[in-house]
């Protein structure tokens, strides 16, 4: 797994930095209420991702223990899903994150409410379940203990999420002009699309290498 960590970190980075519901929630909170109200959003997103990650990893661990063949099948399904995500990323229309965030009009909320809503936002996101279920098997070695590997992957993903969401919050509050325009969104979508397709193809190359 160690040799694949740079690729894993790169994929996690492009996934988290790509503007989505979680990023938009963090940016909106910081724009509406200031930086101090962004931290509950960041923490809530991280906790929600942790919950989903451990639930996903638990399911994968059970599958691996019960049937290595089924685990390989899940890898193949995950590879197809990653390719699908890549195609969607290449086709996605760029958008102005600042305009979307400014258009959102929330009433004044407590920090606890912001935290709770962020947890629910991630914890009830079916696309996050699907993504993690597709991603984790590609970086877990079947011949090594499962949970130590899964814990490292989850911790790295969560740490990157905290760092990236915090950066979004600071930028949104202190340098609003940096988020105007669609060029950054376009570049991120293209890079993430290519990476996901490449990883999906690598999954199938890995599976086929086991048969020859």
């Amino acid at each position: 797994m160690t040799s694949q960590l740079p690729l894993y970190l790169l994929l996690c980075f492009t996934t988290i930095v790509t503007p989505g519901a979680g990023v938009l929630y963090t940016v909106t909170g910081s724009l509406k209420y200031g930086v101090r109200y962004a931290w509950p959003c960041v923490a809530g997103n991280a906790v929600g991702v942790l919950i989903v990650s451990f639930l996903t990893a638990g399911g994968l661990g059970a599958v691996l223990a019960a049937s290595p063949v089924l685990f390989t099948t899940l890898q193949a399904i995950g590879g197809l899903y990653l390719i699908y995500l890549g195609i969607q990323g290449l086709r996605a229309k760029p958008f102005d994150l600042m305009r979307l965030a400014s258009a959102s009009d929330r009433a004044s909320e407590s920090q606890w409410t912001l935290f709770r809503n962020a947890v629910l936002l991630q914890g009830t996101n079916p696309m996050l379940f699907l993504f993690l279920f597709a991603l984790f098997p590609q970086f877990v070695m079947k011949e090594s203990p499962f949970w130590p590997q899964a814990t490292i992957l989850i911790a790295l993903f969560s740490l990157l999420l905290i760092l990236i969401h915090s950066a979004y919050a600071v930028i949104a509050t202190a340098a609003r002009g940096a988020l105007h325009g669609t060029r950054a969104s376009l570049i991120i979508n293209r890079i993430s699309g290519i990476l996901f397709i490449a990883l999906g193809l690598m999954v199938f190359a890995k599976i086929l290498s086991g048969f020859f």
Side-chain angles (χ1 to χ4, degrees):
M1 182 184 71
T2 304
S3 62
Q4 294 181 304
L5 281 181
L7 176 59
Y8 175 77
L9 291 173
L10 182 59
L11 285 168
C12 290
F13 176 84
T14 55
T15 300
I16 298 168
V17 80
T18 301
V23 167
L24 181 57
Y25 191 80
T26 296
V27 169
T28 301
S30 60
L31 285 174
K32 294 293 182 182
Y33 310 123
V35 174
R36 74 184 184 91
Y37 269 83
W39 307 123
C41 301
V42 174
N45 274 296
V47 170
V49 166
L50 275 173
I51 293 171
V52 174
S53 297
F54 276 107
L55 289 174
T56 304
L60 289 172
V63 168
L64 179 58
S67 174
V69 174
L70 181 57
F71 187 81
T72 300
T73 302
L74 286 177
Q75 282 185 306
I77 295 173
L80 289 174
Y81 182 66
L82 291 172
I83 292 173
Y84 167 78
L85 288 179
I87 294 173
Q88 292 295 101
L90 292 176
R91 296 177 59 187
K93 294 181 179 179
F95 58 88
D96 190 332
L97 179 62
M98 175 62 75
R99 182 176 300 173
L100 285 179
S102 299
S104 180
D105 186 18
R106 289 189 175 88
S108 181
E109 299 165 302
S110 69
Q111 292 187 353
W112 165 250
T113 299
L114 291 171
F115 172 81
R116 181 194 63 199
N117 289 344
V119 173
L120 291 174
L121 178 69
Q122 296 289 7
T124 59
N125 183 1
M127 298 306 294
L128 180 60
F129 277 98
L130 288 174
F131 173 75
L132 294 175
F133 213 81
L135 181 66
F136 286 161
Q138 322 311 333
F139 296 94
V140 172
M141 299 177 62
K142 289 183 284 187
E143 61 272 16
S144 300
F146 174 79
W147 275 109
Q149 298 180 81
T151 301
I152 291 173
L153 295 178
I154 292 170
L156 290 173
F157 190 92
S158 300
L159 178 60
L160 276 177
L161 184 142
I162 292 172
L163 293 175
I164 293 169
H165 277 234
S166 298
Y168 265 119
V170 171
I171 291 172
T173 303
R176 297 185 179 188
L179 291 178
H180 280 297
T182 61
R183 182 174 177 80
S185 174
L186 178 64
I187 293 173
I188 291 171
N189 287 339
R190 297 298 184 266
I191 292 175
S192 62
I194 292 171
L195 283 172
F196 284 136
I197 291 174
L199 178 59
L201 294 175
M202 287 171 60
V203 169
F204 285 101
K206 178 181 177 182
I207 292 173
L208 290 175
S209 67
F211 291 102
F212 298 100

